[in-house]
Amino acid sequence: MGPFGRNSLVKQFIYLISIMMSILLLSFVISNYIAQRIVEKKVTESVQKIMLQVEETIMSFYKDMDGISYSLLYNPTIQSYLSTNDILSRILMNKDIVLQFSSTLSLKENIVGIQLYDDQEKLAVSLGRTMAPAEKRRVEAIEYATLNTADMEGSFYTISVPVFNLQNNLVLRDYRGMCLFIMDVSNFSSILQKSKVSAHSRLLLIDKDNRIMTGSGPLDSAQSLDLDAFAQNKSYIMQEIVLEHTGWKIISIVPKAEVVEELGIVKKLNVTTYLIIFTIFCVFLLHFYNRLLKPVKALLDFVKSFAKSGGSRRFSVVYHNEIGVLASSLNQMLDDISTLSSGMQAVQKKMYETELAKKQMEISVYRNQINPHFLYNTLECIRAIAIYHKAHDIVKITSSLSNIFRYSLRGASFVSLQEEISHLQEYAKIIDYRFTGKIRIMIDAEEALLSSKTPQLLLQPIVENAVFHGLEKKIEPGTVQVRIAAADHNRLAFVISDDGIGIGHGQLMELRQRLARYDSQDHWRQGNKGIGLYNIHRRIKLIYGDQAELAIQSQINQGTTVTIILPRELPQAE
């Protein structure tokens, strides 16, 4: 017993209460810190998802504009207009060009103006908002640029699209001119405004020079945003996404104070709880000192004295609470101490009988299992009857199933690759009959490898997974391709691929993680889900160790591929 145990119960209670209050206070502080970090993490993840959605919306808008620009600039009217240098012809076609531009302006509200430049970089046609001719009047690819014009209200940007002659070889890229779309960023403003996560958070769209184009809240389009300052400021959570094609950025700035504002209520609740618990502990110590500690001390004194004197003396029960119950129980224990040994023996005997009954039940279950040899012999009998009645299909399928049972009952650890392929071919026959040719199993193996040794029943469970999880649910016909080749001079590669429904990304990640942390008993506790694949993974790891590899690749509606790499040489017995 240490120094703490030699103190009185009163001191021990005080020490314990002090430790408990310290731990409680520390837990309050830690829980508040963890809660704050969790809230910040959740908000960061939520904002990241929102920003990805905004990015997807903007990218979808880019694609729409690409389609609109190509539809406009590569119609015969525009091509003819830019192909001729005759002024009279252009004047006659000007009305049609304006009509085409008007139709395009009506497609998107944020298209506020269109300017068409010829191959001499001269402004040919303009419609919509007026502005000075563009500084850059020739481009080789689609370019996005911000537009800050003092005489235009609002924020605008431009999309410069080159025009080439479609009749020429695309490699020569016969340049005919450029079309400049003047765009209003107001459509992006509404998207960003709806995506705010808090009252004072900001979601901004900035250009390559970090100038604010649009966003949520009051803005100064000429203002240049100092991203480093926000990133280093611990009072804000800042995230950014760079948009492809344009180089613009979506910036999210969220004040941490707003994120953790509601945690203030939790802090107050924690403080109040701490004070209440402290008060309860003090009342407990004062109220039960005479009702608990003194009776306990008297009971301890009796136990000490009884250990020395023994006999038939018993503790006098004068308390009508738990101490009285404890004293009565102590007296009863002393009365029954002579029979305790025989009682323990009876309990041990019962435990042994229970364990024996459990073992007998297990033996009974094993005895009642169907003998696989009986099934094999029954299939041979069915095959003989089918031959007699000339039911050739039944003969073939029972023969294949019988061969599968014979192969399974061999009990060999390793077989030749030729034997494993033959077993798989028998299984393929059954699948062909069952699905009436809808599902095909194709096997391609290098002939030089057929004598190589491999673990028994390596391929058929994986092919079975491909059939019943990948192809059975598919409406169209499907194929399982089994390819066996030399990965290098020391290893064999088994590749089983199907063109079935595939596996979703989340399920595939979970499957890989479970294989990576696979334990020999985990799959039994998980209800044998996917035991075929896990069993193969465990077997090859137990046999070959780290030299064995199993990888899974899959995409939805494109199929699944399982690759197994094994050494050619069998492992040496230790």
Side-chain angles (χ1 to χ4, degrees):
M1 182 181 295
F4 178 79
R6 290 193 289 269
N7 293 318
S8 64
L9 288 177
V10 176
K11 290 184 178 180
Q12 292 184 29
F13 265 88
I14 293 175
Y15 292 156
L16 290 175
I17 289 175
S18 300
I19 294 172
M20 291 173 64
M21 294 304 298
S22 300
I23 294 174
L24 189 61
L25 179 60
L26 182 61
S27 67
F28 285 158
V29 174
I30 295 176
S31 63
N32 180 73
Y33 174 77
I34 294 175
Q36 182 173 338
R37 296 301 299 270
I38 291 175
V39 169
E40 292 179 4
K41 180 180 179 182
K42 293 297 182 182
V43 170
T44 302
E45 292 175 352
S46 299
V47 171
Q48 183 69 21
K49 292 179 180 178
I50 292 174
M51 293 174 68
L52 291 175
Q53 293 174 358
V54 172
E55 179 190 19
E56 183 177 353
T57 303
I58 294 177
M59 295 303 295
S60 176
F61 175 78
Y62 289 168
K63 292 180 181 178
D64 290 345
M65 285 303 302
D66 289 346
I68 291 173
S69 63
Y70 289 135
S71 176
L72 171 66
L73 301 177
Y74 290 100
N75 67 66
T77 304
I78 300 296
Q79 287 286 309
S80 298
Y81 184 88
L82 294 175
S83 298
T84 181
N85 293 323
D86 184 60
I87 298 176
L88 180 59
S89 298
R90 286 193 173 186
I91 292 174
L92 293 176
M93 286 187 290
N94 188 73
K95 183 178 179 180
D96 294 333
I97 298 297
V98 172
L99 182 61
Q100 293 285 342
F101 283 3
S102 298
S103 299
T104 302
L105 287 175
S106 64
L107 293 177
K108 291 284 186 180
E109 294 181 358
N110 54 305
I111 303 178
V112 297
I114 304 176
Q115 293 181 349
L116 183 64
Y117 294 86
D118 59 18
D119 56 353
Q120 301 300 319
E121 302 184 11
K122 294 181 180 180
L123 180 61
V125 182
S126 177
L127 184 66
R129 277 187 176 267
T130 59
M131 59 169 283
E135 295 180 1
K136 189 174 184 179
R137 304 178 190 178
R138 183 184 180 100
V139 293
E140 297 299 327
I142 298 177
E143 293 184 3
Y144 289 74
T146 54
L147 182 63
N148 295 314
T149 306
D151 57 352
M152 297 178 67
E153 295 181 358
S155 297
F156 301 90
Y157 63 96
T158 60
I159 304 176
S160 302
V161 182
V163 184
F164 300 97
N165 184 5
L166 290 180
Q167 297 180 355
N168 286 1
N169 190 328
L170 294 178
V171 178
L172 298 177
R173 297 177 67 85
D174 183 11
Y175 183 80
R176 289 300 176 84
M178 181 193 80
C179 185
L180 186 73
F181 292 89
I182 304 172
M183 312 294 296
D184 189 354
V185 298
S186 58
N187 63 317
F188 296 149
S189 301
S190 60
I191 296 173
L192 297 175
Q193 186 66 35
K194 294 176 182 178
S195 303
K196 292 178 57 175
V197 296
S198 63
H200 297 90
S201 64
R202 300 180 69 188
L203 197 59
L204 308 174
L205 179 64
I206 65 175
D207 62 13
K208 296 179 180 179
D209 298 324
N210 291 340
R211 291 180 299 180
I212 300 175
M213 295 175 59
T214 185
S216 57
L219 301 171
D220 181 2
S221 58
Q223 177 184 357
S224 180
L225 193 65
D226 189 354
L227 298 181
D228 293 335
F230 279 105
Q232 296 174 2
N233 193 334
K234 301 299 183 181
S235 301
Y236 295 93
I237 301 175
M238 195 201 81
Q239 295 171 268
E240 68 176 56
I241 291 180
V242 179
L243 300 177
E244 295 182 9
H245 307 305
T246 64
W248 299 345
K249 298 178 183 178
I250 302 174
I251 304 296
S252 171
I253 301 174
V254 181
K256 287 187 179 180
E258 287 188 348
V259 173
V260 299
E261 182 177 1
E262 296 183 359
L263 291 179
I265 300 176
V266 178
K267 289 182 180 179
K268 294 180 181 178
L269 180 62
N270 286 343
V271 173
T272 304
T273 304
Y274 183 83
L275 295 176
I276 292 174
I277 293 175
F278 180 76
T279 303
I280 292 174
F281 278 146
C282 292
V283 172
F284 170 81
L285 185 61
L286 294 174
H287 181 72
F288 288 97
Y289 173 74
N290 291 321
R291 301 290 301 274
L292 180 64
L293 298 181
K294 282 187 176 180
V296 167
K297 186 177 183 301
L299 190 60
L300 290 174
D301 291 340
F302 168 76
V303 172
K304 291 179 180 179
S305 62
F306 184 84
K308 295 179 179 179
S309 59
S312 59
R313 187 167 60 91
R314 299 293 182 264
F315 184 77
S316 178
V317 180
V318 294
Y319 305 101
H320 303 285
N321 52 19
E322 287 78 359
I323 300 301
V325 175
L326 180 61
S328 300
S329 300
L330 178 62
N331 292 336
Q332 183 66 37
M333 181 190 68
L334 294 176
D335 292 337
D336 296 340
I337 196 170
S338 60
T339 60
L340 180 60
S341 178
S342 60
M344 292 180 62
Q345 292 176 357
V347 172
Q348 291 179 349
K349 180 181 178 181
K350 186 176 181 180
M351 290 176 62
Y352 287 133
E353 291 175 351
T354 302
E355 186 68 21
L356 180 61
K358 180 180 178 181
K359 294 297 183 182
Q360 291 175 345
M361 184 179 297
E362 292 179 354
I363 294 173
S364 177
V365 171
Y366 287 125
R367 287 176 177 174
N368 290 330
Q369 288 180 340
I370 297 176
N371 191 334
H373 289 281
F374 172 74
L375 291 177
Y376 165 69
N377 293 331
T378 303
L379 287 173
E380 288 296 320
C381 181
I382 294 173
R383 178 174 176 272
I385 296 173
I387 293 174
Y388 177 79
H389 289 282
K390 298 181 179 181
H392 300 294
D393 289 343
I394 297 177
V395 171
K396 292 179 181 179
I397 196 170
T398 53
S399 177
S400 295
L401 188 57
S402 177
N403 291 334
I404 288 177
F405 267 104
R406 182 187 295 112
Y407 184 81
S408 300
L409 293 174
R410 291 179 57 180
S413 298
F414 297 93
V415 296
S416 68
L417 191 55
Q418 178 64 63
E419 292 174 308
E420 184 72 6
I421 292 175
S422 299
H423 171 69
L424 186 57
Q425 290 171 339
E426 298 294 342
Y427 174 77
K429 293 178 184 178
I430 297 177
I431 293 301
D432 185 64
Y433 274 102
R434 177 178 177 183
F435 294 98
T436 62
K438 174 189 172 185
I439 298 177
R440 296 190 306 159
I441 299 175
M442 303 178 65
I443 305 172
D444 180 17
E446 295 181 5
E447 187 174 355
L449 304 177
L450 296 180
S451 61
S452 299
K453 294 295 183 178
T454 182
Q456 186 182 13
L457 291 175
L458 176 69
L459 300 177
Q460 185 267 335
I462 302 179
V463 174
E464 184 174 350
N465 278 347
V467 171
F468 292 105
H469 297 292
L471 298 177
E472 187 176 9
K473 301 177 183 178
K474 182 180 178 182
I475 298 176
E476 300 82 3
T479 302
V480 181
Q481 179 73 41
V482 180
R483 295 186 299 274
I484 306 171
D488 51 43
H489 64 283
N490 289 325
R491 298 188 301 170
L492 295 176
F494 303 82
V495 181
I496 303 95
S497 59
D498 65 78
D499 54 1
I501 61 175
I503 305 173
H505 179 73
Q507 186 179 0
L508 180 63
M509 291 299 101
E510 180 184 359
L511 181 60
R512 289 173 175 172
Q513 291 174 0
R514 290 173 63 187
L515 284 174
R517 65 173 183 267
Y518 185 78
D519 183 83
S520 60
Q521 299 299 326
D522 280 351
H523 64 284
W524 299 111
R525 295 193 289 268
Q526 296 173 3
N528 292 350
K529 181 179 180 182
I531 185 173
L533 188 60
Y534 295 135
N535 183 43
I536 290 173
H537 182 243
R538 176 171 175 258
R539 284 172 57 203
I540 63 176
K541 284 296 185 181
L542 289 176
I543 295 173
Y544 299 101
D546 293 337
Q547 292 181 316
E549 300 177 11
L550 189 149
I552 305 175
Q553 302 291 334
S554 183
Q555 290 186 1
I556 290 294
N557 297 324
Q558 294 188 18
T560 301
T561 299
V562 178
T563 303
I564 299 177
I565 305 295
L566 297 180
R568 283 194 181 187
E569 300 295 333
L570 295 179
Q572 299 294 329
E574 295 183 359

